[in-house]
Amino acid sequence: AQRVTQPEKLLSVFKGAPVELKCNYSYSGSPELFWYVQYSRQRLQLLLRHISRESIKGFTADLNKGETSFHLKKPFAQEEDSAMYYCALKVRGTGNQFYFGTGTSLTVIP
Amino acid sequence: DARVTQTPRDKVTEMGQEVTMRCQPILGHNTVFWYRQTMMQGLELLAYFRNRAPLDDSGMPKDRFSAEMPDATLATLKIQPSEPRDSAVYFCASGFSGYGYTFGSGTRLTVV
């Protein structure tokens, strides 16, 4: 069965420090993975998707099929990065359903 | 900037009352999702529609929840009767061809 695991519910880093939010997935098919971000009391926003291989707001994420991981990284955390981050797996099929992890709350300490 | 619109923004209701949440997806999007967000469970998928047809609502407690899309511009999520454990933020999201979804601002429901 498909599953997305974000092992850290809470993560705190100092401003300027590197940050890595972990995401592991379980899926027998070819995965498509996304990161969504939710700033305080705002809507969820798409941050990036692995097929684009893009860097958004300094964040990158590489799909590692061997380790079934899609960790989100940023070399120098900023205060405005404090938010809730969700990793999501798109499952192909009738409805292209999305499965979300339980989220990681990132706090960047000034 | 196209947005998914959800109403109401906040809702406080007494246990046992009916609650209806509304979502206006982005025009042209053919897939609509309802998610519930709680501190304990994170984001849970409740139901989703493609071309207004319900494809999966297995995440919803069937005895009290119902989701419909009466037309392409409106999706509704109804809880009857509501219970305190339903207190959560309910998000609607819409998209096209599952490429990445746009979320609404959510409805914060409190059942007392």
Side-chain angles (χ1 to χ4, degrees):
Chain A
Q2 44 278 346
R3 187 177 185 154
V4 176
T5 304
Q6 291 179 251
E8 302 142 328
K9 250 188 151 40
L10 301 168
L11 183 63
S12 296
V13 299
F14 285 102
K15 178 182 172 181
V19 61
E20 180 180 68
L21 291 89
K22 291 184 170 52
C23 171
N24 289 90
Y25 67 90
S26 173
Y27 180 46
S28 57
S30 181
E32 280 192 58
L33 287 140
F34 302 75
W35 276 98
Y36 280 83
V37 60
Q38 183 183 27
Y39 300 101
S40 180
R41 293 186 69 88
Q42 293 187 28
R43 69 189 70 205
L44 277 156
Q45 304 171 43
L46 178 64
L47 182 61
L48 55 80
R49 47 191 180 228
H50 90 269
I51 58 174
S52 302
R53 301 189 66 82
E54 58 203 344
S55 174
I56 303 293
K57 300 183 179 183
F59 284 97
T60 58
D62 289 318
L63 178 61
N64 186 323
K65 291 187 179 180
E67 296 182 359
T68 61
S69 68
F70 188 56
H71 303 327
L72 183 68
K73 300 177 185 179
K74 185 169 182 177
F76 307 104
Q78 302 299 314
E79 289 178 66
E80 55 265 29
D81 297 328
S82 296
M84 194 77 177
Y85 291 82
Y86 289 93
C87 181
L89 166 71
K90 188 178 90 171
V91 172
R92 296 181 188 279
T94 313
N96 287 329
Q97 189 171 325
F98 274 65
Y99 288 85
F100 283 83
T102 49
T104 298
S105 175
L106 174 65
T107 301
V108 180
I109 305 164
Chain B
D1 183 24
R3 290 185 176 231
V4 174
T5 303
Q6 285 187 249
T7 56
R9 187 75 186 256
D10 288 279
K11 175 75 176 177
V12 180
T13 191
E14 288 185 329
M15 181 174 64
Q17 296 298 305
E18 177 180 297
V19 174
T20 299
M21 290 169 272
R22 293 178 173 78
C23 168
Q24 182 178 353
I26 292 173
L27 193 64
H29 283 182
N30 68 343
T31 308
V32 175
F33 293 82
W34 281 106
Y35 285 92
R36 174 169 63 183
Q37 183 185 40
T38 62
M39 285 296 292
M40 296 301 295
Q41 301 292 332
L43 272 170
E44 302 172 89
L45 177 65
L46 296 176
Y48 71 102
F49 296 79
R50 170 149 293 182
N51 297 321
R52 294 176 54 202
L55 290 187
D56 188 349
D57 59 2
S58 57
M60 288 197 316
K62 296 289 190 308
D63 56 337
R64 299 184 299 108
F65 283 62
S66 62
E68 296 179 347
M69 274 200 80
D71 61 61
T73 64
L74 178 65
T76 62
L77 180 67
K78 190 176 295 186
I79 308 174
Q80 167 62 17
S82 57
E83 298 180 2
R85 60 183 167 147
D86 301 329
S87 297
V89 180
Y90 291 81
F91 284 101
C92 172
S94 74
F96 187 76
S97 299
Y99 209 69
Y101 290 87
T102 302
F103 281 76
S105 298
T107 293
R108 183 176 297 275
L109 174 65
T110 304
V111 183
V112 298

